[in-house]
């Protein structure tokens, strides 16, 4: 399987030497589960938007320091691309910013949470068991760094998991779009360094809480298994769908 990575941010220069950039993070994590995967990267943050939805088997959108409501040309262009993927039945998985972009592109709403920043480990209940959730477990705990959240779901979406802090944490739209607010690609070390870098912005008390949460186990590998199972199922469904007459 070839996955197209829609890159929406770079790791801060101060942290890149230690932790690498986001494409490397995703590749290292996904290759732990399936070393045969291939990745192609489009730097959407530089205006590099794919011109062919069939260039890869499935698409994956990274997080970003930008917000989906920011008035930036590349975000509007990426939204249009997301809508094209939706119309074509092409599989897409959105991570954090990508999760929110998916919701907004399809008619949902995203806003800054009144609860403030979510950082460190997030603890979530899985409220609906989908057939691609193998192996199954009733919780999904991932590292996060966000203040925006999906406030209103797009039509056809359903929440599969969340928490009191972030109710729409895990979302499926139709049979080929999946969004998650957490960052499976983050390591604890990167999360700690990112919180330290953003402490003045996030708030020092919230950072202390986030740092304390890092001792908990993280479901990063499980989330990748779920993502790959979801992608493969969506690809198969699309291949088996009846073809429209010419």
């Amino acid at each position: 399987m070839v996955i197209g990575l829609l890159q929406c941010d770079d790791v801060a220069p101060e942290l890149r030497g230690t932790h690498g950039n986001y494409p490397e993070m995703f590749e290292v994590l996904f290759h732990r589960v399936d070393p045969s995967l291939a990745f192609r990267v489009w730097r959407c943050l530089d205006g590099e938007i794919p011109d062919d939805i069939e260039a890869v088997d499935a698409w994956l959108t990274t997080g970003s320091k930008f917000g989906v409501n920011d008035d930036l040309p590349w975000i509007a262009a990426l939204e249009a691309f997301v809508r094209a993927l939706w119309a074509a039945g092409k599989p897409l998985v959105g991570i954090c910013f990508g999760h929110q972009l998916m919701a907004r592109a399809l008619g949902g709403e995203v806003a800054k949470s009144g609860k403030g920043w979510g950082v460190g480990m997030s603890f979530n209940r899985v409220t609906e068991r989908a057939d691609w959730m193998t192996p199954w477990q009733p919780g999904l705990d991932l590292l996060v760094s966000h203040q925006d959240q999906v406030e209103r779901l797009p039509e056809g979406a359903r929440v599969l998991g969340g928490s009191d802090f972030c109710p729409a944490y895990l979302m499926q739209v139709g049979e080929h779009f999946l969004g998650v607010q957490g960052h499976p690609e983050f390591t604890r070390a990167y999360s700690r360094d990112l919180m330290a870098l953003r402490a003045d912005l996030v708030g020092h008390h919230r950072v202390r809480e986030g740092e304390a949460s890092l001792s908990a186990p993280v479901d990063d590998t499980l989330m990748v298994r779920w993502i790959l199972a979801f992608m493969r199922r969506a690809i198969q469904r699309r291949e088996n769908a009846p073809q429209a007459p010419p």
Side-chain angles (χ1 to χ4, degrees):
M1 181 162 59
V2 181
I3 297 174
L5 186 64
L6 302 169
Q7 186 179 349
C8 301
D9 199 6
D10 288 310
V11 169
E14 304 95 314
L15 305 182
R16 208 174 301 160
T18 302
H19 301 287
N21 209 346
Y22 291 120
E24 290 77 25
M25 289 184 185
F26 277 101
E27 290 185 30
V28 167
L29 175 62
F30 275 66
H31 284 156
R32 287 208 318 248
V33 175
D34 185 350
S36 72
L37 294 170
F39 286 84
R40 290 184 60 188
V41 179
W42 280 261
R43 286 185 57 84
C44 298
L45 73 161
D46 294 334
E48 186 185 1
I49 309 297
D51 57 9
D52 179 11
I53 65 172
E54 304 297 346
V56 295
D57 298 306
W59 297 90
L60 180 68
T61 308
T62 74
S64 181
K65 63 177 171 289
F66 302 101
V68 299
N69 296 317
D70 292 348
D71 185 18
L72 296 172
W74 71 267
I75 294 178
L78 186 56
E79 265 195 44
F81 182 71
V82 167
R83 286 190 287 269
L85 294 177
W86 172 254
K90 193 76 175 180
L92 171 68
V93 174
I95 306 296
C96 190
F97 171 90
H99 165 68
Q100 298 164 10
L101 185 78
M102 176 186 296
R104 189 177 189 275
L106 299 182
E109 292 182 2
V110 175
K112 294 193 187 308
S113 172
K115 304 180 182 75
W117 278 83
V119 293
M121 193 74 72
S122 66
F123 302 93
N124 302 277
R125 300 175 297 277
V126 181
T127 53
E128 181 179 335
R129 183 174 182 175
D131 59 4
W132 44 264
M133 291 177 175
T134 55
W136 161 253
Q137 70 177 41
L140 181 65
D141 302 339
L142 296 171
L143 296 163
V144 294
S145 182
H146 70 104
Q147 54 179 335
D148 288 0
Q149 296 192 24
V150 175
E151 296 289 341
R152 181 171 63 82
L153 297 175
E155 184 177 352
R158 64 187 197 270
V159 172
L160 305 181
S163 66
D164 293 339
F165 182 83
C166 183
Y169 188 87
L170 182 66
M171 169 187 76
Q172 181 174 339
V173 194
E175 298 297 333
H176 59 289
F177 272 27
L178 175 68
V180 63
Q181 184 59 61
H183 284 273
E185 80 281 9
F186 279 17
T187 64
R188 290 185 185 85
Y190 177 66
S191 178
R192 181 179 292 108
D193 287 351
L194 185 62
M195 283 188 281
L197 185 67
R198 295 179 171 174
D200 290 341
L201 180 64
V202 172
H204 291 268
H205 181 71
R206 183 57 57 89
V207 167
R208 286 177 60 204
E209 293 175 332
E211 289 174 340
S213 73
L214 296 180
S215 61
V218 58
D219 294 321
D220 50 357
T221 302
L222 175 73
M223 188 69 237
V224 172
R225 293 188 188 281
W226 285 6
I227 287 171
L228 293 178
F230 177 85
M231 285 179 169
R232 290 182 172 119
R233 177 179 173 276
I235 291 167
Q236 186 174 38
R237 288 176 66 92
R238 188 170 187 254
E239 290 174 347
N240 294 337
Q243 298 298 311

